[in-house]
Amino acid sequence: MKGILLAGGHGTRLHPITLAVSKQLLPVNDKPLIYYPLSVLMLAGIREIQVICTPVDVPQLRRLLGDGSQLGIRLDYVEQPEPRGIAEAFILGADRIGSDPVALVLGDNIFHGHNFYDILQRHARDIDGCVLFGFPVEDPSRYGVGRTDAEGKLVSIEEKPSNPRSNRAIVGLYFYDNDVIDIAKNLRPSARGELEITDVNRVYLERGKARLYDLGRGFAWLDAGTPESLLQAAQYVQVLEQRQGVRIACLEEVALRMGYIDAEACHRLGTRLPSSDYGAYVRSIAKELA
């Protein structure tokens, strides 16, 4: 499976902060926002990932993440001059996806929960159609919403409905088979001129090949795309990290535990950050798992 991390757009909901810096580089407690969605793809077992971003953001993101080789993965940067909808990511990334299935994660989404690794691994295997992930929210009219029947089968998808028939928001993590490329290429732009991910998902639903997995209780899903939600995400991460003594979305630790790098390589990465608590944590993990 290939991966796409959609880090495009201009971060207008965060202006004026993002007038000078990519939203994905803003801090969420002790690390850049982009670490969180990138860690999700890595936990799913994906090692070839396209980062889709604006041309002006490529140098900054490349400076932070490089080509991914230090983490045992491959990162390619694909320019998206103007945001034309989430589904355009599959068109931009078609050549690199090839004939493989693909996972897409939004660059401002944060996920955390017990057994998340097992959930990702299970749903990333043998994909036939698409796997969507739902999360209960108080105001579903702000999101794409999935409704299931009594047996848990997905029966409808609505985009920002005025009268929602479900409280399950479809979050910014999607698994697709390779048909998604042709589906995206044949979409018509919506009224706002974008290729909508909801339209992609509806095609799969009409084919009877769309599933919705409810993350539900015990999970946290945060869309850190506004000043308020960015602050809430930082506070959530800070509390968990301080109380549990672990780092959420530590890329070096994820790479080590996934077997992408060995303990020696992990320790070297930690020594590059000699003065930070984050670097000390990376070194301690390398020693613990050596």
Side-chain angles (χ1 to χ4, degrees), residues 1 36 38-47 111-125 133 173 175 213 215 218-220 248-249 253-260:
M1 173 178 276
Y36 296 87
L38 179 54
S39 71
V40 171
L41 295 179
M42 292 172 64
L43 285 170
I46 299 170
R47 302 180 70 169
F111 300 88
H112 181 255
H114 182 60
N115 288 334
F116 193 35
Y117 165 81
D118 294 329
I119 292 169
L120 292 171
Q121 290 285 316
R122 183 168 68 249
H123 289 288
R125 298 192 200 107
F133 296 87
L173 175 63
F175 291 170
Y213 180 86
L215 293 174
F219 276 84
I248 299 171
E253 180 179 8
V254 172
L256 178 57
R257 292 187 182 276
M258 293 295 295
Y260 300 163

Side-chain angles (χ1 to χ4, degrees), residues 2-3 10 14 39 54 72 78 80 97 108 127 146 176 184 190 226-227 236 254 256 275 288 290:
K2 302 291 178 59
H10 302 296
L14 284 160
S39 71
T54 66
V78 180
Q80 184 186 39
I97 295 169
D108 57 6
I127 292 180
Y176 297 99
S190 65
T226 67
Y236 174 84
V254 172
L256 178 57
S275 302
E288 176 186 334

Side-chain angles (χ1 to χ4, degrees), residues 203-257:
V203 172
Y204 279 105
L205 181 63
E206 291 168 0
R207 294 178 179 181
K209 289 190 173 185
R211 291 183 289 137
L212 181 67
Y213 180 86
D214 194 357
L215 293 174
R217 181 173 295 181
F219 276 84
W221 167 60
L222 302 165
D223 173 1
T226 67
E228 180 182 23
S229 60
L230 189 67
L231 176 60
Q232 290 172 346
Q235 292 171 332
Y236 174 84
V237 172
Q238 181 187 42
V239 169
L240 282 180
E241 291 189 344
Q242 286 182 344
R243 293 189 178 184
Q244 297 181 355
V246 298
R247 303 268 168 169
I248 299 171
C250 174
L251 299 182
E252 296 84 356
E253 180 179 8
V254 172
L256 178 57
R257 292 187 182 276

Side-chain angles (χ1 to χ4, degrees), residues 181-201:
I181 296 174
D182 287 335
I183 291 172
K185 287 180 177 179
N186 286 289
L187 287 182
R188 292 183 179 180
S190 65
R192 59 178 183 167
E194 296 190 358
L195 301 180
E196 306 288 354
I197 197 69
T198 296
D199 291 337
V200 171
N201 297 336

Side-chain angles (χ1 to χ4, degrees), residues 6-26 33 52-54 56-57 80-83 107-108 194 223-227 229-230:
L6 187 56
H10 302 296
T12 54
R13 292 185 297 168
L14 284 160
H15 281 176
I17 304 170
T18 47
L19 289 174
V21 65
S22 167
K23 172 173 63 175
Q24 280 71 34
L25 295 177
L26 296 179
L33 174 56
I52 295 181
C53 52
T54 66
V56 72
D57 290 335
Q80 184 186 39
E82 293 295 332
D108 57 6
E194 296 190 358
D223 173 1
T226 67
S229 60
L230 189 67

